[in-house]
PDB file of all heavy atoms in Angstrom:
ATOM      1  N   ARG A 443     112.297 100.984  72.828  1.00  0.00           N
ATOM      2  CA  ARG A 443     111.345 100.969  73.967  1.00  0.00           C
ATOM      3  C   ARG A 443     111.840 101.794  75.137  1.00  0.00           C
ATOM      4  O   ARG A 443     111.715 101.408  76.327  1.00  0.00           O
ATOM      5  CB  ARG A 443     111.026  99.551  74.391  1.00  0.00           C
ATOM      6  CG  ARG A 443     110.431  98.699  73.278  1.00  0.00           C
ATOM      7  CD  ARG A 443     109.956  97.342  73.738  1.00  0.00           C
ATOM      8  NE  ARG A 443     109.436  96.515  72.648  1.00  0.00           N
ATOM      9  CZ  ARG A 443     108.219  96.618  72.118  1.00  0.00           C
ATOM     10  NH1 ARG A 443     107.392  97.528  72.610  1.00  0.00           N
ATOM     11  NH2 ARG A 443     107.843  95.834  71.123  1.00  0.00           N
ATOM     12  N   LEU A 444     112.370 102.971  74.843  1.00  0.00           N
ATOM     13  CA  LEU A 444     112.911 103.860  75.893  1.00  0.00           C
ATOM     14  C   LEU A 444     112.011 105.095  76.121  1.00  0.00           C
ATOM     15  O   LEU A 444     112.379 105.975  76.860  1.00  0.00           O
ATOM     16  CB  LEU A 444     114.317 104.329  75.504  1.00  0.00           C
ATOM     17  CG  LEU A 444     115.365 103.212  75.452  1.00  0.00           C
ATOM     18  CD1 LEU A 444     116.707 103.774  74.953  1.00  0.00           C
ATOM     19  CD2 LEU A 444     115.559 102.593  76.837  1.00  0.00           C
ATOM     20  N   VAL A 445     110.840 105.083  75.447  1.00  0.00           N
ATOM     21  CA  VAL A 445     109.900 106.198  75.594  1.00  0.00           C
ATOM     22  C   VAL A 445     108.519 105.663  75.914  1.00  0.00           C
ATOM     23  O   VAL A 445     108.027 104.772  75.211  1.00  0.00           O
ATOM     24  CB  VAL A 445     109.847 107.049  74.290  1.00  0.00           C
ATOM     25  CG1 VAL A 445     108.893 108.245  74.504  1.00  0.00           C
ATOM     26  CG2 VAL A 445     111.214 107.534  73.887  1.00  0.00           C
ATOM     27  N   ASP A 446     107.903 106.179  76.966  1.00  0.00           N
ATOM     28  CA  ASP A 446     106.528 105.783  77.345  1.00  0.00           C
ATOM     29  C   ASP A 446     105.491 106.788  76.846  1.00  0.00           C
ATOM     30  O   ASP A 446     104.405 106.419  76.468  1.00  0.00           O
ATOM     31  CB  ASP A 446     106.400 105.649  78.867  1.00  0.00           C
ATOM     32  CG  ASP A 446     107.374 104.630  79.449  1.00  0.00           C
ATOM     33  OD1 ASP A 446     107.334 103.480  78.995  1.00  0.00           O
ATOM     34  OD2 ASP A 446     108.172 104.982  80.316  1.00  0.00           O
ATOM     35  N   TRP A 447     105.828 108.061  76.912  1.00  0.00           N
ATOM     36  CA  TRP A 447     104.933 109.126  76.470  1.00  0.00           C
ATOM     37  C   TRP A 447     105.701 110.186  75.694  1.00  0.00           C
ATOM     38  O   TRP A 447     106.817 110.518  76.056  1.00  0.00           O
ATOM     39  CB  TRP A 447     104.289 109.817  77.670  1.00  0.00           C
ATOM     40  CG  TRP A 447     103.127 109.131  78.330  1.00  0.00           C
ATOM     41  CD1 TRP A 447     103.167 108.237  79.345  1.00  0.00           C
ATOM     42  CD2 TRP A 447     101.734 109.321  78.026  1.00  0.00           C
ATOM     43  NE1 TRP A 447     101.891 107.857  79.696  1.00  0.00           N
ATOM     44  CE2 TRP A 447     100.997 108.501  78.914  1.00  0.00           C
ATOM     45  CE3 TRP A 447     101.043 110.097  77.081  1.00  0.00           C
ATOM     46  CZ2 TRP A 447      99.593 108.444  78.875  1.00  0.00           C
ATOM     47  CZ3 TRP A 447      99.656 110.044  77.076  1.00  0.00           C
ATOM     48  CH2 TRP A 447      98.936 109.209  77.931  1.00  0.00           C
ATOM     49  N   VAL A 448     105.076 110.721  74.668  1.00  0.00           N
ATOM     50  CA  VAL A 448     105.486 111.976  74.066  1.00  0.00           C
ATOM     51  C   VAL A 448     104.553 113.041  74.609  1.00  0.00           C
ATOM     52  O   VAL A 448     103.317 112.893  74.516  1.00  0.00           O
ATOM     53  CB  VAL A 448     105.442 111.946  72.530  1.00  0.00           C
ATOM     54  CG1 VAL A 448     105.729 113.335  71.947  1.00  0.00           C
ATOM     55  CG2 VAL A 448     106.414 110.920  71.989  1.00  0.00           C
ATOM     56  N   ILE A 449     105.085 114.091  75.222  1.00  0.00           N
ATOM     57  CA  ILE A 449     104.265 115.157  75.788  1.00  0.00           C
ATOM     58  C   ILE A 449     104.662 116.493  75.163  1.00  0.00           C
ATOM     59  O   ILE A 449     105.835 116.897  75.282  1.00  0.00           O
ATOM     60  CB  ILE A 449     104.401 115.219  77.317  1.00  0.00           C
ATOM     61  CG1 ILE A 449     104.122 113.849  77.942  1.00  0.00           C
ATOM     62  CG2 ILE A 449     103.462 116.277  77.894  1.00  0.00           C
ATOM     63  CD1 ILE A 449     104.180 113.813  79.448  1.00  0.00           C
ATOM     64  N   VAL A 450     103.704 117.145  74.538  1.00  0.00           N
ATOM     65  CA  VAL A 450     103.986 118.394  73.814  1.00  0.00           C
ATOM     66  C   VAL A 450     102.906 119.458  74.136  1.00  0.00           C
ATOM     67  O   VAL A 450     101.878 119.111  74.699  1.00  0.00           O
ATOM     68  CB  VAL A 450     104.025 118.157  72.285  1.00  0.00           C
ATOM     69  CG1 VAL A 450     105.138 117.205  71.887  1.00  0.00           C
ATOM     70  CG2 VAL A 450     102.669 117.655  71.774  1.00  0.00           C
ATOM     71  N   GLY A 451     103.208 120.671  73.770  1.00  0.00           N
ATOM     72  CA  GLY A 451     102.227 121.744  73.926  1.00  0.00           C
ATOM     73  C   GLY A 451     101.466 121.952  72.620  1.00  0.00           C
ATOM     74  O   GLY A 451     101.424 121.075  71.789  1.00  0.00           O
ATOM     75  N   ALA A 452     100.860 123.129  72.471  1.00  0.00           N
ATOM     76  CA  ALA A 452     100.115 123.471  71.269  1.00  0.00           C
ATOM     77  C   ALA A 452     100.059 124.983  71.104  1.00  0.00           C
ATOM     78  O   ALA A 452     100.023 125.712  72.071  1.00  0.00           O
ATOM     79  CB  ALA A 452      98.700 122.894  71.341  1.00  0.00           C
ATOM     80  N   ASP A 453     100.054 125.401  69.829  1.00  0.00           N
ATOM     81  CA  ASP A 453      99.896 126.809  69.545  1.00  0.00           C
ATOM     82  C   ASP A 453      98.470 127.134  69.054  1.00  0.00           C
ATOM     83  O   ASP A 453      98.002 128.237  69.241  1.00  0.00           O
ATOM     84  CB  ASP A 453     100.907 127.232  68.499  1.00  0.00           C
ATOM     85  CG  ASP A 453     102.290 127.378  69.099  1.00  0.00           C
ATOM     86  OD1 ASP A 453     102.981 126.366  69.259  1.00  0.00           O
ATOM     87  OD2 ASP A 453     102.690 128.520  69.410  1.00  0.00           O
ATOM     88  N   ARG A 454      97.815 126.152  68.441  1.00  0.00           N
ATOM     89  CA  ARG A 454      96.426 126.323  68.053  1.00  0.00           C
ATOM     90  C   ARG A 454      95.810 124.940  67.887  1.00  0.00           C
ATOM     91  O   ARG A 454      96.428 124.057  67.284  1.00  0.00           O
ATOM     92  CB  ARG A 454      96.308 127.132  66.774  1.00  0.00           C
ATOM     93  CG  ARG A 454      94.850 127.410  66.377  1.00  0.00           C
ATOM     94  CD  ARG A 454      94.741 128.343  65.163  1.00  0.00           C
ATOM     95  NE  ARG A 454      95.272 129.673  65.443  1.00  0.00           N
ATOM     96  CZ  ARG A 454      94.722 130.791  64.975  1.00  0.00           C
ATOM     97  NH1 ARG A 454      93.673 130.757  64.211  1.00  0.00           N
ATOM     98  NH2 ARG A 454      95.288 131.961  65.259  1.00  0.00           N
ATOM     99  N   ILE A 455      94.604 124.765  68.409  1.00  0.00           N
ATOM    100  CA  ILE A 455      93.897 123.492  68.315  1.00  0.00           C
ATOM    101  C   ILE A 455      92.566 123.797  67.634  1.00  0.00           C
ATOM    102  O   ILE A 455      91.803 124.649  68.073  1.00  0.00           O
ATOM    103  CB  ILE A 455      93.645 122.865  69.683  1.00  0.00           C
ATOM    104  CG1 ILE A 455      94.979 122.595  70.410  1.00  0.00           C
ATOM    105  CG2 ILE A 455      92.846 121.575  69.561  1.00  0.00           C
ATOM    106  CD1 ILE A 455      94.835 122.163  71.844  1.00  0.00           C
ATOM    107  N   ALA A 456      92.300 123.089  66.520  1.00  0.00           N
ATOM    108  CA  ALA A 456      91.045 123.286  65.780  1.00  0.00           C
ATOM    109  C   ALA A 456      89.896 122.654  66.551  1.00  0.00           C
ATOM    110  O   ALA A 456      90.094 121.858  67.481  1.00  0.00           O
ATOM    111  CB  ALA A 456      91.165 122.688  64.384  1.00  0.00           C
ATOM    112  N   ALA A 457      88.669 122.930  66.116  1.00  0.00           N
ATOM    113  CA  ALA A 457      87.475 122.442  66.813  1.00  0.00           C
ATOM    114  C   ALA A 457      87.400 120.928  66.879  1.00  0.00           C
ATOM    115  O   ALA A 457      86.850 120.341  67.813  1.00  0.00           O
ATOM    116  CB  ALA A 457      86.226 122.985  66.126  1.00  0.00           C
ATOM    117  N   ASN A 458      88.013 120.251  65.859  1.00  0.00           N
ATOM    118  CA  ASN A 458      87.995 118.781  65.862  1.00  0.00           C
ATOM    119  C   ASN A 458      89.187 118.144  66.596  1.00  0.00           C
ATOM    120  O   ASN A 458      89.292 116.919  66.651  1.00  0.00           O
ATOM    121  CB  ASN A 458      87.963 118.255  64.428  1.00  0.00           C
ATOM    122  CG  ASN A 458      89.293 118.450  63.718  1.00  0.00           C
ATOM    123  OD1 ASN A 458      90.085 119.324  64.087  1.00  0.00           O
ATOM    124  ND2 ASN A 458      89.549 117.623  62.726  1.00  0.00           N
ATOM    125  N   GLY A 459      90.083 118.967  67.153  1.00  0.00           N
ATOM    126  CA  GLY A 459      91.220 118.455  67.885  1.00  0.00           C
ATOM    127  C   GLY A 459      92.522 118.401  67.153  1.00  0.00           C
ATOM    128  O   GLY A 459      93.576 118.131  67.738  1.00  0.00           O
ATOM    129  N   ASP A 460      92.489 118.657  65.824  1.00  0.00           N
ATOM    130  CA  ASP A 460      93.754 118.782  65.085  1.00  0.00           C
ATOM    131  C   ASP A 460      94.599 119.862  65.743  1.00  0.00           C
ATOM    132  O   ASP A 460      94.090 120.966  66.039  1.00  0.00           O
ATOM    133  CB  ASP A 460      93.508 119.148  63.624  1.00  0.00           C
ATOM    134  CG  ASP A 460      92.833 118.034  62.826  1.00  0.00           C
ATOM    135  OD1 ASP A 460      92.696 116.926  63.359  1.00  0.00           O
ATOM    136  OD2 ASP A 460      92.414 118.312  61.682  1.00  0.00           O
ATOM    137  N   THR A 461      95.891 119.604  65.895  1.00  0.00           N
ATOM    138  CA  THR A 461      96.739 120.483  66.700  1.00  0.00           C
ATOM    139  C   THR A 461      97.969 120.965  65.966  1.00  0.00           C
ATOM    140  O   THR A 461      98.767 120.194  65.471  1.00  0.00           O
ATOM    141  CB  THR A 461      97.185 119.710  67.983  1.00  0.00           C
ATOM    142  OG1 THR A 461      96.029 119.427  68.797  1.00  0.00           O
ATOM    143  CG2 THR A 461      98.187 120.515  68.812  1.00  0.00           C
ATOM    144  N   ALA A 462      98.124 122.308  65.950  1.00  0.00           N
ATOM    145  CA  ALA A 462      99.321 122.920  65.399  1.00  0.00           C
ATOM    146  C   ALA A 462     100.325 123.135  66.531  1.00  0.00           C
ATOM    147  O   ALA A 462      99.980 123.709  67.573  1.00  0.00           O
ATOM    148  CB  ALA A 462      98.999 124.272  64.736  1.00  0.00           C
ATOM    149  N   ASN A 463     101.518 122.647  66.322  1.00  0.00           N
ATOM    150  CA  ASN A 463     102.576 122.840  67.316  1.00  0.00           C
ATOM    151  C   ASN A 463     103.901 122.961  66.571  1.00  0.00           C
ATOM    152  O   ASN A 463     103.971 122.911  65.341  1.00  0.00           O
ATOM    153  CB  ASN A 463     102.611 121.671  68.316  1.00  0.00           C
ATOM    154  CG  ASN A 463     103.492 121.973  69.521  1.00  0.00           C
ATOM    155  OD1 ASN A 463     103.323 122.987  70.161  1.00  0.00           O
ATOM    156  ND2 ASN A 463     104.389 121.063  69.838  1.00  0.00           N
ATOM    157  N   LYS A 464     104.966 123.177  67.310  1.00  0.00           N
ATOM    158  CA  LYS A 464     106.296 123.386  66.704  1.00  0.00           C
ATOM    159  C   LYS A 464     106.616 122.329  65.671  1.00  0.00           C
ATOM    160  O   LYS A 464     106.315 121.146  65.873  1.00  0.00           O
ATOM    161  CB  LYS A 464     107.366 123.391  67.831  1.00  0.00           C
ATOM    162  CG  LYS A 464     108.777 123.637  67.365  1.00  0.00           C
ATOM    163  CD  LYS A 464     108.917 124.965  66.635  1.00  0.00           C
ATOM    164  CE  LYS A 464     108.449 126.129  67.457  1.00  0.00           C
ATOM    165  NZ  LYS A 464     108.506 127.392  66.666  1.00  0.00           N
ATOM    166  N   ILE A 465     107.201 122.766  64.563  1.00  0.00           N
ATOM    167  CA  ILE A 465     107.545 121.859  63.475  1.00  0.00           C
ATOM    168  C   ILE A 465     108.338 120.651  64.030  1.00  0.00           C
ATOM    169  O   ILE A 465     109.266 120.833  64.828  1.00  0.00           O
ATOM    170  CB  ILE A 465     108.357 122.595  62.380  1.00  0.00           C
ATOM    171  CG1 ILE A 465     108.484 121.740  61.135  1.00  0.00           C
ATOM    172  CG2 ILE A 465     109.658 123.104  62.904  1.00  0.00           C
ATOM    173  CD1 ILE A 465     107.246 121.643  60.321  1.00  0.00           C
ATOM    174  N   GLY A 466     107.952 119.502  63.623  1.00  0.00           N
ATOM    175  CA  GLY A 466     108.575 118.264  64.150  1.00  0.00           C
ATOM    176  C   GLY A 466     107.606 117.471  65.049  1.00  0.00           C
ATOM    177  O   GLY A 466     107.819 116.283  65.289  1.00  0.00           O
ATOM    178  N   THR A 467     106.555 118.121  65.510  1.00  0.00           N
ATOM    179  CA  THR A 467     105.590 117.418  66.349  1.00  0.00           C
ATOM    180  C   THR A 467     104.863 116.349  65.594  1.00  0.00           C
ATOM    181  O   THR A 467     104.625 115.236  66.098  1.00  0.00           O
ATOM    182  CB  THR A 467     104.575 118.427  66.939  1.00  0.00           C
ATOM    183  OG1 THR A 467     105.261 119.431  67.675  1.00  0.00           O
ATOM    184  CG2 THR A 467     103.591 117.719  67.864  1.00  0.00           C
ATOM    185  N   TYR A 468     104.460 116.636  64.343  1.00  0.00           N
ATOM    186  CA  TYR A 468     103.760 115.640  63.548  1.00  0.00           C
ATOM    187  C   TYR A 468     104.659 114.432  63.299  1.00  0.00           C
ATOM    188  O   TYR A 468     104.200 113.259  63.397  1.00  0.00           O
ATOM    189  CB  TYR A 468     103.330 116.259  62.223  1.00  0.00           C
ATOM    190  CG  TYR A 468     102.710 115.276  61.246  1.00  0.00           C
ATOM    191  CD1 TYR A 468     101.634 114.480  61.624  1.00  0.00           C
ATOM    192  CD2 TYR A 468     103.215 115.143  59.959  1.00  0.00           C
ATOM    193  CE1 TYR A 468     101.052 113.586  60.714  1.00  0.00           C
ATOM    194  CE2 TYR A 468     102.644 114.249  59.046  1.00  0.00           C
ATOM    195  CZ  TYR A 468     101.582 113.482  59.437  1.00  0.00           C
ATOM    196  OH  TYR A 468     101.014 112.616  58.568  1.00  0.00           O
ATOM    197  N   SER A 469     105.953 114.653  63.056  1.00  0.00           N
ATOM    198  CA  SER A 469     106.885 113.536  62.903  1.00  0.00           C
ATOM    199  C   SER A 469     106.922 112.667  64.146  1.00  0.00           C
ATOM    200  O   SER A 469     106.959 111.427  64.061  1.00  0.00           O
ATOM    201  CB  SER A 469     108.277 114.067  62.608  1.00  0.00           C
ATOM    202  OG  SER A 469     108.285 114.886  61.441  1.00  0.00           O
ATOM    203  N   LEU A 470     106.936 113.308  65.292  1.00  0.00           N
ATOM    204  CA  LEU A 470     106.907 112.564  66.566  1.00  0.00           C
ATOM    205  C   LEU A 470     105.651 111.760  66.683  1.00  0.00           C
ATOM    206  O   LEU A 470     105.636 110.605  67.169  1.00  0.00           O
ATOM    207  CB  LEU A 470     107.058 113.512  67.739  1.00  0.00           C
ATOM    208  CG  LEU A 470     108.420 114.144  67.985  1.00  0.00           C
ATOM    209  CD1 LEU A 470     108.339 115.165  69.115  1.00  0.00           C
ATOM    210  CD2 LEU A 470     109.437 113.079  68.315  1.00  0.00           C
TER     211      LEU A 470
END
Side-chain angles (χ1 to χ4, degrees):
R443 301 188 183 278
L444 295 175
V445 182
D446 301 305
W447 279 91
V448 173
I449 306 181
V450 298
D453 285 81
R454 183 174 295 216
I455 300 172
N458 72 335
D460 291 351
T461 295
N463 192 51
K464 182 57 57 184
I465 190 75
T467 302
Y468 175 54
S469 303
L470 287 174

